[in-house]
Amino acid sequence: MPSFLHSLASPARFQRIANAIMPWAVLLTVGLIGTGVVWGLAFSPPDYQQGDTVRVMYIHVPAAWMAMACYAVMALLSASFLIWKHQLADLAARACAPIGACFTAVALITGSLWGKPTWGTWWVWDARLTSVLILFFLYLGYMALAAAFDDRERGGRAAAILACVGAINLPIIKYSVEWWNTLHQGASVFRMDGPTIDNAMLWPLVLTGIGFNALFVVLLLVRIKSELLARRIEVLQRARAAGRS
Amino acid sequence: MDGVNSFLDMGGYAATVWPAYGVTLAILGGLLVVSLRSLSRRKAELAILESQRERPRR
Amino acid sequence: MNAFLATIARDLRLATRRGGEAALTLGFFVVAITLFPFGVGPGPELLGRIAAGIIWVTALLAATVSFDRLFRADMEDGTLELLALQPLPLELVVLAKAIAHWLMTGLAVTLLAPLMGLMLNLPGDAYLPLIAGLLIGTPSLSLLGGVGAALVLGARRGGALIGLLVLPLFLPALIFGVSAVEAVLIGMPLAPHLLILAALLAVALPVGAFGGAAALRLALE
């Protein structure tokens, strides 16, 4: 694994790999999300209990998956940045944060919209929604810390330490919230997505789920490329300023 | 026409389903647009910087 | 060990000598609690029901406002570099400072909590679980908060950032601290809640020591 990461760590190599992956990722994103959304909206059956509101699930649930997966990727990249000091891992971890925050926001907002007809109110302190909200705060903290230093490198390392501390605490927070929720659970709250799900609903969910993963890859590659260019610009500007003086 | 209307109506839950898809498109699409624009802006900036560097300085 | 104790003693002396830090945190704790009856109304029934929650939340906030001072003063006058140069590992320095911070905030808040409970009409059975919970739960706050305080050294608007960074991490301690009180009030055993708080402390110890030391090394570069 380290040697694989090392080989990825050179910007030129990254560009080549990114350019090779990009068209496929775009194709998968458009194809899978497009098919999944059309299937979910038009061809999957309404739920016997929730009616057509269940169609929100085809974006809400994948967004919640991505919110968590993105934090895991960010924490792994942060740890590998702290251990092996790859600049690219730092760039990638930072590029992850806004993407994760956006998926988290989508999960929260669609969950709230779904909650209105289901629970009769916009917000319920449901275990899943609450955990996702805390996850959103962790993303905000990471981004705020990474941006708070004048020295880019230092901000990256501080944020990487925070991501690792957050990753250790996240499962504890999640289980605490779930436990707290069972303690206070009202009668009207029921699970949004039970373990048993009909195939006619599972397929669009799987399609949008994989599609969201592909979208994550597209966004990540674009943002890393952009960050690489920003570094290069910084170096050139510094060289020019040094040449002038 | 009836089919289109009932599709748009979403079994009476149009106010739930369509905003949810709209918000998702707005947030994720917005992030993609912002990321792509910053990429192309930086590309242009880098091109200017590199062309200036190649020109011999007086 | 001597250096470890000396670090604790130094922080305690500094905090009490100026009559400042420890007293300021407690002052914040008391004033913030006083706001609640104005916010939710003075009805003793309602206050009694939410008293434990008020005290716990305010204890978290009081700890948070005091984190900014944990390393900043030492960073500014160069003490931190000397602390890092001594043979005592930086991890233990962080632990010593967290212990001193806890003695001045967590322990002090715990000692004040019964008085606040009295003013908020806390039910009689709730005092023991509240105090026991605070006693076991607040050290994790000092440890996790220490990481946040060390991370924002050298950052712009560091003080304002700490709250955003550490408050989400305090959630488990808050949940089980308050549930200990609720459990006793409905006649359930207290021990499991305290054991979970102790387990949270056991996680916070290495995270606080290693995370805090890593962040300090970064700040000292």
Side-chain angles (χ1 to χ4, degrees), chain C residues 171-191:
Chain C
L171 198 63
L174 172 66
I175 288 175
F176 287 100
V178 175
S179 76
V181 176
E182 282 174 1
V184 168
L185 289 182
I186 58 170
M188 301 282 280
L190 170 64

Side-chain angles (χ1 to χ4, degrees), chain A:
Chain A
M1 192 64 183
S3 63
F4 169 67
L5 286 170
H6 278 276
S7 74
L8 264 179
S10 118
R13 195 139 192 185
F14 166 80
Q15 292 281 12
R16 271 206 310 281
I17 295 171
N19 288 340
I21 296 174
M22 192 61 126
W24 298 103
V26 172
L27 203 68
L28 279 177
T29 306
V30 175
L32 290 177
I33 295 182
T35 321
V37 163
V38 170
W39 193 337
L41 281 176
F43 299 107
S44 75
D47 188 70
Y48 76 98
Q49 216 176 354
Q50 304 187 41
D52 282 301
T53 56
V54 78
R55 299 185 200 284
V56 177
M57 175 180 75
Y58 305 122
I59 45 174
H60 169 78
V61 172
W65 287 339
M66 290 314 297
M68 282 181 279
C70 211
Y71 198 91
V73 171
M74 192 175 90
L76 283 176
L77 286 166
S78 295
S80 73
F81 172 55
L82 290 175
I83 297 167
W84 293 298
K85 308 258 184 307
H86 290 316
Q87 294 302 316
L88 202 69
D90 176 37
L91 287 183
R94 275 171 200 233
C96 268
I99 307 173
C102 281
F103 277 122
T104 316
V106 166
L108 284 174
I109 296 174
T110 54
S112 172
L113 283 164
W114 195 3
K116 182 64 180 158
T118 321
W119 293 320
T121 156
W122 294 110
W123 184 265
V124 163
W125 291 93
D126 158 75
R128 285 151 192 259
L129 272 182
T130 312
S131 311
V132 174
L133 182 66
I134 301 296
L135 187 61
F136 189 58
F137 295 153
L138 291 182
Y139 277 122
L140 289 188
Y142 177 94
M143 290 193 286
L145 186 65
F149 287 80
D150 294 323
D151 179 358
R152 197 189 259 272
E153 154 101 30
R154 186 167 272 200
R157 282 178 54 195
I161 295 173
L162 181 71
C164 293
V165 170
I168 295 170
N169 279 280
L170 200 57
I172 302 176
I173 295 175
K174 198 169 153 37
Y175 286 113
S176 306
V177 168
E178 265 168 28
W179 183 86
W180 163 83
N181 190 247
T182 53
L183 191 73
H184 294 270
Q185 194 156 45
S188 65
V189 179
F190 68 96
R191 290 165 66 112
M192 273 183 167
D193 43 343
T196 52
I197 179 166
D198 192 73
N199 270 351
M201 290 182 185
L202 188 63
W203 272 109
L205 183 62
V206 167
L207 288 182
T208 47
I210 302 173
F212 272 31
N213 273 292
L215 176 62
F216 169 69
V217 171
V218 172
L219 284 167
L220 189 65
L221 291 180
V222 168
R223 294 194 72 92
I224 294 176
K225 268 188 182 176
S226 176
E227 283 287 317
L228 277 172
L229 289 183
R231 294 248 165 135
R232 177 119 184 84
I233 290 170
E234 210 170 88
V235 169
L236 285 179
Q237 275 173 341
R238 231 177 251 162
R240 200 163 65 160
R244 265 201 198 133
S245 60

Side-chain angles (χ1 to χ4, degrees), chain C residues 56 128-137 176-181 183-184 189-202:
Chain C
W56 259 98
L128 174 69
L130 177 68
I131 294 168
L134 282 170
L135 212 53
I136 307 174
F176 287 100
V178 175
S179 76
V181 176
V184 168
L190 170 64
H193 302 268
L194 297 184
L195 286 175
I196 292 176
L197 283 174
L200 292 177
L201 179 56

Side-chain angles (χ1 to χ4, degrees), chain B residues 30-49:
Chain B
L31 180 66
L32 186 64
V33 168
V34 166
S35 307
L36 284 173
R37 280 177 71 171
S38 98
L39 178 66
S40 62
R41 202 180 52 236
R42 281 169 177 165
K43 261 184 191 155
E45 204 175 328
L46 190 64
I48 294 170
L49 275 172

